[in-house]
Amino acid sequence: MTKPFKLIQVSDIHFGGEHKAAVEAAVERIHAERPDLVIAAGDLTKDGKTAEFDAAQAWLDRLPRPRLVTPGNHDIPFAGPREILWRLVAPWRRYQSRFGRRKSQDWDDPRVTVVALNTARAFQLRLNWSKGAVSRQQIREVCADLKDAAPGALKIVVCHHPLIEMIGGPMTAKVRGGTAAAQAFAQAGADLVLTGHIHAPFVHPYPFSDGCTQAVGSGTLSVRERGVPAGFNLIEVDDVDIRITALAWERTRFVTWRTWSVPRRCIPKDGPNENGATEVAPLKV
């Protein structure tokens, strides 16, 4: 890369229950960062209502382009009898009329390939429909897109639910097929898997393949905080490193809450350790 690639990762804005001051200030801060890409990882709305989708679309239209959006479990109508009917007959109509289908949301250039994955479900054979799921067909499609990326391109997957549980996180995702998906994406060379859902930022490597696929979660821009202030992620990538900055709302502005730096790609050093994970070392460039 001739210059660092910069992207913004937002998630869980929950229009209808958004943090109004943080949401408004985020527009100015995101423009100031001059990102190459803005990614919204689901739960744009609180209850999937038309007015909430209109507010989400209006807010996203104020952000820099290009952008990529994927849905979350709250982006399916579910509050009230009429909304449940919409969930039955056309669960994605409101979302797709504004943001398009998954395939229309993929994005790539010679430097970066980003693949969107919908882990939300209108119905599941379990009581809690908010949990995520990934089908075998979805895994095959995402892996095919990753393998078609330009040589040396950064490979990113975006979905709403963390595919593997965050240890010590404020809530769980329990994604059906999530472990298989994480393993397949790691083997396909994904560098980052960007998610939301748990309303708390995190970074951790998947314990598969070369151990270099990083799971990155962003916080929320809603009032539904779970131990972390409202915020979003700034991610900067150059030829050597990936730097993730979790920004948090503090009174009147966004401040740095936590930062991570991981190597752009790494190689096995000594094979599996006693925990079954692979020790890795930075790739010399």
Side-chain angles (χ1 to χ4, degrees):
M1 295 182 181
T2 57
K3 69 180 184 70
F5 184 89
K6 183 183 292 188
L7 65 87
I8 295 291
Q9 177 192 6
V10 301
S11 182
D12 299 271
I13 307 101
H14 288 294
F15 278 95
E18 74 275 21
H19 190 303
K20 295 184 183 299
V23 163
E24 186 61 29
V27 175
E28 181 178 356
R29 178 61 186 264
I30 291 170
H31 273 282
E33 293 293 346
R34 304 184 68 179
D36 296 286
L37 178 64
V38 174
I39 290 175
D43 276 5
L44 309 176
T45 68
K46 183 170 73 76
D47 295 320
K49 295 180 178 179
T50 298
E52 294 170 358
F53 273 118
D54 289 344
Q57 183 179 29
W59 184 74
L60 286 168
D61 283 345
R62 295 172 62 195
L63 301 184
R65 297 291 185 106
R67 73 178 187 207
L68 183 146
V69 184
T70 193
N73 52 282
H74 276 265
D75 298 322
I76 311 169
F78 70 93
R82 184 177 178 182
E83 299 298 289
I84 290 295
L85 180 61
W86 274 106
R87 190 184 191 104
L88 283 167
V89 300
W92 300 111
R93 180 177 295 178
R94 292 172 182 172
Y95 174 87
Q96 292 180 349
S97 68
R98 293 161 177 82
F99 305 111
R101 297 179 180 273
R102 187 197 76 83
K103 277 296 181 183
S104 69
Q105 287 295 311
D106 292 351
W107 187 88
D108 68 276
D109 71 10
R111 297 178 298 165
V112 181
T113 287
V114 186
V115 184
L117 168 67
N118 184 3
T119 56
R121 296 292 185 267
F123 300 97
Q124 297 185 63
L125 294 177
R126 55 177 166 174
L127 292 177
N128 192 338
W129 294 346
S130 72
K131 306 301 183 184
V134 185
S135 70
R136 294 179 182 179
Q137 178 63 28
Q138 286 180 302
I139 293 173
R140 289 192 292 267
E141 290 177 352
V142 171
C143 288
D145 289 344
L146 292 175
K147 291 175 181 177
D148 285 341
L154 185 78
K155 298 179 182 181
I156 301 175
V157 178
V158 181
C159 57
H160 180 62
H161 297 85
L163 300 177
I164 296 178
E165 295 299 304
M166 172 189 174
I167 297 174
M171 64 178 294
T172 65
K174 294 185 178 179
V175 177
R176 286 181 170 170
T179 299
Q183 185 169 5
F185 300 162
Q187 292 172 345
D191 295 286
L192 300 173
V193 178
L194 307 183
T195 62
H197 189 61
I198 66 172
H199 294 202
F202 65 84
V203 176
H204 65 74
Y206 285 161
F208 306 118
S209 188
D210 58 6
C212 297
T213 298
Q214 301 288 335
V216 180
S218 58
T220 181
L221 282 171
S222 78
V223 295
R224 300 180 65 186
E225 299 171 6
R226 297 192 177 105
V228 180
F232 61 92
N233 286 348
L234 167 65
I235 302 174
E236 299 171 281
V237 184
D238 58 28
D239 291 328
V240 179
D241 297 310
I242 301 172
R243 296 175 295 278
I244 302 103
T245 301
L247 297 170
W249 178 251
E250 185 178 277
R251 296 182 181 177
T252 61
R253 62 193 179 102
F254 286 99
V255 299
T256 297
W257 182 76
R258 188 172 177 183
T259 62
W260 298 264
S261 181
V262 296
R264 171 74 184 273
R265 226 33 221 173
C266 48
I267 57 175
K269 184 172 66 175
D270 296 318
N273 61 20
E274 65 273 13
N275 297 318
T278 301
E279 297 289 342
V280 295
L283 179 64
K284 303 297 183 181
V285 295

